[in-house]
Amino acid sequence: SYGCEFSHITTFTVQMIAILSSVGSEMASLMSSIQENWFGNFLLNICAYGVIILPAALIIHYFKNSQSLQQRSGPLFSFLRFCILGNSIDELELVEEGKVIEEKEENSSSPTPKGYGIILWSSFKLCSCIIGLQIAYLTWGVLQERVMTRSYDGERFTNSQFLVFVNRVLALCVSAIYIASTIQPRHISPFYKYSYSSLSNILSSWCQYEALKFVSFPTQVLAKSCKVIPVMLMGKVVSNKTYPLNEYVTALMMSGGVALFLLAADPTGDTHTTETTVAGILILGGYMMFDSFTSNWQSQLFSQYKMSPIQMMLGVNTFSCIFTIGSLLLRGTFFSSVLFLFKHWDFGVHASILSICSAIGQLFIFYTISQFGPLVFTLIMTTRQAVSILLSCIVYGHVLTIQALLGVVVVFIAILLRFYFKQRERSVDKTTPK
């Protein structure tokens, strides 16, 4: 009888192992199918971020509502105070400190050129900014399309999250080195506040890479150029904002240009399914939404805490590295991506150059805006977007019809008109007596 019972137990155990093995294979198959779908990938990323964010949010909530951080000392509690409460400083101290920093920068800087030297020096700096921004972001655009749309020895890299992580690691290192070697204002913002724009920033970057699986690079660039349209719609619906007539006209021109481009017939005869088109539009819409939140949140932090752009770059990229590496490890895709990198050295070279261009480009952005203002920077970047579309068509053989080219021209004319009207409004405001 013992032998019979043992036989039954053995049979039952074998059956249970078979069932569990079958369930495991079904779950693996389900996870694989989810990961192959862009929306499933997006949800998995959100869940992974949630595993990191929820415990951190509970810790922040606990310490913000207790006095324990103010009463205790030691390295751990100093670090928690920096992350959760920030450094307290009144406005007068902040102004005085800003004056001291300006004086130190003036004393440490080289003598200012005079006469024609000023014009030559400004021209040299402007040319350097134009060349630096064009080289950095044109190279970045070409490599972005290469990595996401072409194969490496028959294998295609599909993990957009890993590319975001690599970009943010290098940007973090560059910003840390820059801050360590320059004079910066005292940091007073609670460090955790960078996490909001960091999360939206990595989601917008993920959407940017993921969209290239469904739309061409010229389509992506053109859609990114029209971010103002959803921003205006949201402002009208949510805040009941009013806009001048010229903004509505330029927005309609952008919409018409994009419609001309997207509805242009493909002379090569290639067709795309409705699902692919809808997926691409949804992902680009996600990019615009997350990117708009990032810029608005960062503007609020700049006005409230007066940090430098490089301090913002360091804070945002710190949390971006935490979120992305956490997501990659929790989803089990980090080591497979590293294995792909070591297996295909040309991919490693492309990913490295992509990250270097992104980090250097951010520094050029901050420098250009600080030296020449946002209008000059916007004109440079608008030119870069037009050139990047042309370069993508040359390098990767995208064929554009006359209708598609007309759509591109209409969009960029609308963008330039928009900046012209903005600048004219600023000039009128300055000359109007108050």
Side-chain angles (χ1 to χ4, degrees):
S1 62
Y2 288 113
C4 185
E5 289 179 6
F6 180 77
S7 176
H8 284 308
I9 292 171
T10 303
T11 303
F12 176 76
T13 304
V14 170
Q15 289 175 344
M16 286 301 297
I17 291 172
I19 292 171
L20 290 173
S21 175
S22 175
V23 170
S25 63
E26 288 293 330
M27 288 296 293
S29 176
L30 178 62
M31 288 297 293
S32 177
S33 63
I34 289 175
Q35 291 189 8
E36 289 175 1
N37 179 272
W38 73 268
F39 188 66
N41 246 321
F42 177 78
L43 291 179
L44 289 174
N45 284 338
I46 295 295
C47 292
Y49 299 148
V51 171
I52 301 168
I53 292 169
L54 289 177
L58 291 174
I59 293 171
I60 291 169
H61 179 75
Y62 170 77
F63 281 113
K64 284 184 75 173
N65 290 287
S66 69
Q67 300 297 320
S68 56
L69 278 182
Q70 302 286 7
Q71 298 167 355
R72 299 186 185 183
S73 60
L76 175 61
F77 289 99
S78 296
F79 174 73
L80 288 173
R81 274 195 296 274
F82 172 75
C83 291
I84 298 172
L85 302 178
N87 297 315
S88 59
I89 180 173
D90 60 34
E91 191 173 346
L92 181 61
E93 285 182 275
L94 198 60
V95 171
E96 291 298 325
E97 186 172 302
K99 290 179 180 177
V100 171
I101 289 173
E102 287 177 4
E103 288 174 4
K104 287 182 178 178
E105 288 177 343
E106 287 174 3
N107 295 332
S108 62
S109 61
S110 56
T112 305
K114 296 180 180 180
Y116 288 109
I118 296 176
I119 299 173
L120 290 173
W121 180 240
S122 296
S123 301
F124 173 76
K125 289 195 294 184
L126 180 59
C127 289
S128 299
C129 290
I130 292 171
I131 293 169
L133 285 167
Q134 296 291 344
I135 291 175
Y137 283 106
L138 287 175
T139 306
W140 178 80
V142 169
L143 286 177
Q144 183 191 40
E145 187 170 7
R146 167 67 181 88
V147 169
M148 296 305 299
T149 64
R150 300 295 188 271
S151 61
Y152 292 89
D153 299 326
E155 288 186 82
R156 182 167 289 188
F157 186 78
T158 59
N159 194 345
S160 303
Q161 185 85 312
F162 183 76
L163 290 174
V164 177
F165 168 70
V166 174
N167 285 352
R168 297 306 179 268
V169 167
L170 189 61
L172 175 63
C173 295
V174 168
S175 58
I177 293 170
Y178 189 94
I179 286 175
S181 58
T182 57
I183 302 169
Q184 297 290 320
R186 192 190 308 183
H187 188 274
I188 62 173
S189 169
F191 201 68
Y192 82 90
K193 290 203 171 184
Y194 293 114
S195 62
Y196 296 92
S197 56
S198 170
L199 183 61
S200 60
N201 178 255
I202 58 177
L203 285 171
S204 67
S205 296
W206 181 88
C207 289
Q208 190 172 226
Y209 284 113
E210 198 73 11
L212 286 175
K213 298 177 183 178
F214 303 96
V215 298
S216 68
F217 183 78
T219 304
Q220 186 205 65
V221 172
L222 206 63
K224 285 162 61 179
S225 302
C226 302
K227 287 188 292 186
V228 64
I229 298 171
V231 170
M232 285 181 65
L233 290 173
M234 192 65 69
K236 186 68 178 176
V237 173
V238 176
S239 307
N240 198 27
K241 277 186 78 173
T242 56
Y243 299 94
L245 178 62
N246 63 69
E247 294 204 23
Y248 286 108
V249 172
T250 53
L252 284 173
M253 287 178 66
M254 290 180 190
S255 302
V258 171
L260 279 172
F261 182 87
L262 293 178
L263 296 175
D266 187 349
T268 63
D270 293 339
T271 56
H272 301 283
T273 63
T274 305
E275 181 185 0
T276 299
T277 305
V278 170
I281 291 171
L282 289 174
I283 295 170
L284 287 173
Y287 162 79
M288 293 181 189
M289 180 181 69
F290 293 127
D291 192 62
S292 298
F293 176 85
T294 300
S295 58
N296 281 294
W297 184 264
Q298 288 180 344
S299 297
Q300 182 179 336
L301 290 183
F302 277 128
S303 61
Q304 186 176 358
Y305 296 107
K306 314 297 182 188
M307 73 278 289
S308 71
I310 303 298
Q311 287 173 331
M312 174 72 75
M313 183 177 172
L314 178 71
V316 170
N317 284 306
T318 298
F319 282 103
S320 296
C321 289
I322 294 170
F323 289 144
T324 50
I325 188 62
S327 173
L328 289 166
L329 290 172
L330 286 169
R331 293 185 54 190
T333 56
F334 177 75
F335 294 106
S336 60
S337 298
V338 173
L339 183 64
F340 188 94
L341 187 149
F342 282 109
K343 187 177 178 183
H344 304 283
W345 287 100
D346 47 348
F347 166 75
V349 172
H350 291 161
S352 300
I353 298 174
L354 197 69
S355 302
I356 292 169
C357 289
S358 178
I360 293 175
Q362 287 186 55
L363 293 178
F364 270 110
I365 287 173
F366 295 141
Y367 185 77
T368 304
I369 293 174
S370 67
Q371 294 293 315
F372 303 102
L375 179 66
V376 171
F377 166 73
T378 307
L379 290 172
I380 294 171
M381 294 305 283
T382 302
T383 306
R384 191 272 302 178
Q385 289 171 330
V387 175
S388 66
I389 290 177
L390 178 63
L391 192 61
S392 175
C393 292
I394 294 171
V395 174
Y396 297 108
H398 299 301
V399 181
L400 298 182
T401 62
I402 298 298
Q403 180 181 330
L405 287 171
L406 179 61
V408 173
V409 171
V410 169
V411 168
F412 283 106
I413 288 175
I415 293 170
L416 293 174
L417 283 173
R418 184 179 179 81
F419 297 141
Y420 166 74
F421 287 127
K422 286 282 186 185
Q423 185 64 14
R424 194 175 68 173
E425 286 173 14
R426 291 193 189 99
S427 300
V428 170
D429 291 339
K430 287 179 181 178
T431 56
T432 302
K434 296 182 179 180

